[in-house]
Amino acid sequence: MPISTQEVEHRAASDAESIAWVDESDRLLGTLPRAELRERGLIGRGTYILLFNSEGELCVHRRTLSKAIYPGYWDVAAGGMVQGDETYAESAARELEEELGVSGVELTAHEQFFFDQPGNRVWCAVFSAVWDGPLELQPEEVLEARFMPVQQALDESATEPYCPDSVAALLRFLACRDNA
């Protein structure tokens, strides 16, 4: 599947975005372009929004092939990097609207954790929301989306390419919910 000119242009703009740069304790050090954070192995802030419908199914979407990390992977969370002038909550609301066209919903904040893999070092803030309306996918970032039972997504993540950071966010969310 070829990458569109629109996706290439979006990727270039995304790589140039000024992202919150933090240390291993999530203390803000400044801002850097997204591509520089990634290339230097530095830590940024990211948001992970688990979008459920009222039946408890989870929205799972497939990333475009132009994404810098995990291209073409399935993702159990909408979200992205926190810009230098945003809070985690502001970023979560912006990302949910940009990627899936969902706005005006209550975002519930959950925990924050540090995800550390080569090429993806990020302080993660986990949010959840419930939405039964239509999804409006951002074509530069999302190829397709569907709601499915949470267990189905977890089962598929064992055999299909799923974003490991968002799966980690989902597992932590489920563990906290089950222990509450």
Side-chain angles (χ1 to χ4, degrees), residues 60-146:
V60 176
H61 68 274
R62 189 162 163 248
R63 297 162 61 88
T64 57
L65 299 176
S66 63
K67 298 295 279 181
I69 60 171
Y70 314 128
Y73 280 44
W74 289 98
D75 204 337
V76 297
M81 301 304 289
V82 178
Q83 295 179 356
D85 62 349
E86 289 181 310
T87 65
Y88 280 115
E90 290 167 340
S91 175
R94 177 182 53 78
E95 291 286 354
L96 185 59
E97 183 172 7
E98 283 178 6
E99 289 183 11
L100 301 177
V102 175
S103 64
V105 297
E106 180 181 347
L107 288 170
T108 302
H110 300 285
E111 70 169 325
Q112 293 175 219
F113 68 97
F114 181 48
F115 184 84
D116 192 2
Q117 273 192 349
N120 190 20
R121 303 182 75 212
V122 62
W123 262 97
C124 309
V126 182
F127 295 83
S128 65
V130 177
W131 176 259
D132 287 316
L135 299 176
E136 295 178 27
L137 309 182
Q138 181 182 26
E140 299 86 2
E141 294 198 31
V142 180
L143 290 173
E144 59 183 301
R146 63 182 188 265

